[in-house]
Amino acid sequence: MNINEQFKAVVFDVDGTLFDTLPSLSAAANEVLAKAGMSDVSMSLLQSALNEGLRPMFRQAIALQSVPVDAVAASQLEIECMAHYGRRWLSTAPLFAGVTDALAALKLRGLKLGICTNRDPASTEVLLAAASITDSFDAIVCLGDTPLPKPAADPLLLLMERLAVSPAEVLYVGDSGMDARCAQLSRVRFAAHLGGYAEQAGDLLPNVLSFGGYDQLTSWVLDQRSALFSPVSFTLPRPINLSY
């Protein structure tokens, strides 16, 4: 990839990147487990599974029960958990600090914005609408839009097709090793959100930027764009004296 190519688009993951969704998902899962007479599971034990999607996260909660749960009961509990989450918890997840301002600043500079997530389309739509940021995005690719989810390159490649940009023109912002791998396979530069759900910093490599606050991301992206258009200083040659 050409690392000096100008960014034309910034693409975001959802869970752990734009939204802090783990607390609400964990609460929904534990309420369903408690109702079924099962044990609570701490958020830290569900964190890595969330990168694969909502249902894999709940399956992790089932797998961590001290008493094995048969497949039929586990399937029914999963259905109940997704329904309970949608009714009670889905729209309560907050954006990470600074996201709204960052999206506005990037949009103002003419960048295309996209979402590439392993979350299902319906819940993604609800989250974006609850935070009033739906209109910020030019294209969205969710779980089920491609045959393979992240970390395969398929979702990000589809999103680039919808945005009409090349890999060299894209920055993908995520919080997990799955996001880093998807970016790498897609030949896209990756920015790592350190406030998300990665188990360790090494999971977020390779990246061109790791950031804690969204003001850092915004400044870095805009600085990269400005550097490509910095005026070139030069000295005019002195006129040649032809008289003799």
Side-chain angles (χ1 to χ4, degrees):
M1 79 180 67
N2 180 4
I3 61 172
N4 295 316
E5 189 81 20
Q6 180 192 359
F7 290 126
K8 292 185 179 178
V10 182
V11 178
F12 297 87
D13 173 50
V14 172
D15 297 272
T17 301
L18 291 175
F19 291 86
D20 187 10
T21 54
L22 184 57
S24 54
L25 281 161
S26 177
N30 282 321
E31 286 176 357
V32 169
L33 292 173
K35 185 178 178 182
M38 298 181 185
S39 303
D40 283 3
V41 179
S42 69
M43 282 197 299
S44 62
L45 295 176
L46 300 177
Q47 185 169 308
S48 61
L50 178 54
N51 294 317
E52 298 180 37
L54 309 191
R55 291 179 182 273
M57 188 214 73
F58 186 73
R59 289 168 195 159
Q60 174 75 347
I62 291 292
L64 290 171
Q65 295 299 306
S66 57
V67 178
V69 181
D70 70 76
V72 174
S75 179
Q76 183 58 41
L77 287 170
E78 184 179 311
I79 293 170
E80 291 177 17
C81 180
M82 294 302 101
H84 179 59
Y85 170 64
R87 288 192 305 267
R88 169 71 179 84
W89 289 102
L90 172 57
S91 60
T92 67
L95 288 166
F96 284 101
V99 166
T100 302
D101 289 343
L103 297 177
L106 297 174
K107 200 78 172 172
L108 186 63
R109 292 298 186 94
L111 284 155
K112 296 179 180 180
L113 302 182
I115 283 178
C116 181
T117 177
N118 276 354
R119 177 179 279 267
D120 65 279
S123 68
T124 299
E125 183 179 342
V126 171
L127 273 177
L128 298 179
S132 301
I133 59 171
T134 304
D135 293 341
S136 298
F137 299 98
D138 302 287
I140 298 173
V141 170
C142 298
L143 187 69
D145 289 341
T146 56
L148 295 175
K150 296 183 297 182
D154 303 41
L156 195 47
L157 293 175
L158 175 60
L159 187 68
M160 288 188 281
E161 181 181 325
R162 291 179 176 178
L163 291 174
V165 292
S166 70
E169 296 169 328
V170 176
L171 179 70
Y172 184 41
V173 184
D175 72 301
S176 70
M178 188 170 293
D179 295 324
R181 181 61 175 157
C182 178
Q184 187 177 37
L185 291 172
S186 306
R187 300 185 62 78
V188 164
R189 284 168 283 182
F190 179 62
H193 179 222
L194 299 178
Y197 307 146
E199 293 186 284
Q200 50 191 1
D203 294 342
L204 301 173
L205 297 174
N207 64 65
V208 295
L209 171 72
S210 57
F211 67 97
Y214 266 86
D215 56 336
Q216 294 173 273
L217 173 69
T218 305
S219 296
W220 187 86
V221 172
L222 298 186
D223 284 349
Q224 295 297 307
R225 285 172 61 84
S226 297
L228 293 170
F229 298 102
S230 297
V232 178
S233 61
F234 61 94
T235 304
L236 288 172
R238 293 182 179 181
I240 301 173
N241 186 355
L242 297 179
S243 62
Y244 54 91

